[in-house]
């Protein structure tokens, strides 16, 4: 599932492509992907200019000129492609937004969705989310304060969107590795210096993820060389049986609460 860096990468690139552009056409091939009657959805979205695209946690917000917002959650398996009919991926398209000859294709939206809300309903929808880990307001003190109230396994807490927004299975593994902490570690056993290390690792791993285009397999558009660049920098996620790039120990995988958890038994304590 795309996480904060993947969605931030999409946000940056899509702002370059479609901010200021008018949606000339809307095609809905899967009604379950939207939250309104298709006619109403199309009527509200068509001919609207996209003012800007923002991100909150793992969600993207397409702000329309009429004040309405398209709220996108890709969930598991969802991705996007921007281009012409000619270079569109040979995949089933659930929703298509057109900008003249170019289109934004929403692909793999099985659990994912593109919902239309006004700003009040959008806020309600996002109200449960915890702080943005890369915002200036999210200081080390704020982090310590929040984690002080948490117990149980570190990994479970990192995945909790009410604790911090935007971290999923992939980056939780990389963050724990970066901090040298076992994802199975009980938070109560994390000493002060380790908590600081964890905060630093959250910041640096997520930033590195964004700078390198996240881990999505598919490019966003033709000649997109940025998207997916983080895959090569990944240290533990999905590397079970391979050698740790730092110490050579074999990377292990354990299933915790039905989620695959990867770690280096030597680098992480
Ligand atoms: Zn190692």
């Amino acid at each position: 599932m795309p996480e904060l860096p993947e969605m931030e990468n999409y946000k940056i690139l899509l702002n370059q492509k479609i901010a200021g552009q008018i949606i000339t056409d809307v095609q809905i091939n899967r009604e379950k992907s939207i939250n309104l009657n298709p006619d109403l959805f199309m009527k509200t979205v068509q001919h609207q200019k996209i003012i800007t695209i923002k991100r909150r946690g793992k969600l993207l917000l397409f702000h329309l000129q009429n004040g309405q917002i398209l709220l996108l959650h890709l969930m598991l398996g969802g991705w996007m492609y921007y281009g012409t009919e000619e270079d569109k991926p040979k995949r089933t398209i659930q929703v298509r937004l057109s900008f003249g000859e170019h289109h934004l294709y929403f692909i793999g939206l099985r659990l994912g969705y593109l919902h239309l809300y006004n700003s009040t309903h959008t806020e309600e929808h996002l109200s449960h989310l915890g702080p943005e880990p890369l915002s200036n307001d999210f200081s080390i003190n704020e982090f310590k304060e929040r984690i002080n109230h948490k117990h149980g396994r570190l990994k479970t807490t990192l995945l909790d969107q009410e604790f911090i927004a935007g971290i999923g299975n992939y980056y939780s593994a990389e963050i724990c590795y970066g901090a040298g902490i076992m994802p199975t570690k009980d938070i109560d056993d994390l000493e002060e210096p380790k908590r600081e290390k964890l905060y630093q690792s959250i910041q640096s791993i997520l930033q590195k993820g964004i700078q390198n285009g996240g881990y999505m397999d598919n490019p966003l558009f033709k000649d997109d060389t940025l998207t997916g660049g983080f895959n090569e920098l990944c240290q533990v996620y999905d590397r079970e049986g391979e050698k740790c790039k730092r110490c050579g120990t074999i990377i292990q995988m354990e299933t915790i609460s039905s989620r695959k958890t990867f770690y280096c038994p030597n680098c992480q304590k």
Side-chain angles (χ1 to χ4, degrees), residues 23 25-32 34-48 64 66 68 70 95 97 114 116:
I23 301 169
D25 190 34
V26 183
Q27 196 182 80
I28 294 152
N29 301 328
R30 188 179 186 268
E31 289 185 24
K32 275 186 179 170
I34 60 171
N35 61 329
L36 298 175
N37 159 300
D39 285 341
L40 179 61
F41 187 94
M42 283 158 78
K43 227 199 261 172
T44 317
V45 172
Q46 212 163 16
H47 309 307
Q48 287 300 314
L64 306 182
N66 59 6
Q68 301 281 310
L70 285 168
V95 180
L97 300 180
L114 186 68
L116 186 68

Side-chain angles (χ1 to χ4, degrees), residues 1 9 16 28 55 57 84 88 126 128 131-132 143 160 163 189 224 250 261 267:
M1 186 191 297
N9 179 60
Q16 292 166 9
I28 294 152
R55 182 194 55 75
T84 59
K88 122 183 177 346
L126 304 176
H128 69 286
E132 283 293 322
F143 173 71
D160 177 0
F163 174 63
D189 299 333
D224 170 16
I250 301 297
T261 303
C267 293

Side-chain angles (χ1 to χ4, degrees), residues 177 244-249 251 264-268:
Y177 176 84
C244 170
K245 295 176 188 174
R246 193 189 282 155
C247 76
T249 304
I251 302 295
C264 170
N266 184 46
C267 293
Q268 294 171 256

Side-chain angles (χ1 to χ4, degrees), residues 214-260:
Y215 68 68
M216 297 303 282
D217 289 327
N218 300 94
L220 178 61
F221 52 89
K222 207 175 147 186
D223 305 325
D224 170 16
T225 53
L226 178 64
T227 302
F230 190 73
N231 258 324
E232 284 171 33
L233 302 172
C234 166
Q235 301 293 319
V236 284
Y237 188 82
D238 221 8
R239 295 194 66 241
E240 183 193 7
E242 293 176 39
K243 281 182 180 169
C244 170
K245 295 176 188 174
R246 193 189 282 155
C247 76
T249 304
I250 301 297
I251 302 295
Q252 305 288 314
M253 193 275 286
E254 248 181 77
T255 305
I256 298 170
S257 325
S258 74
R259 314 279 311 250
K260 286 182 175 179

Side-chain angles (χ1 to χ4, degrees), residues 177-189:
Y177 176 84
I181 304 168
M182 283 290 287
T184 47
K185 185 111 175 160
D186 196 302
I187 290 172
D188 290 321
D189 299 333

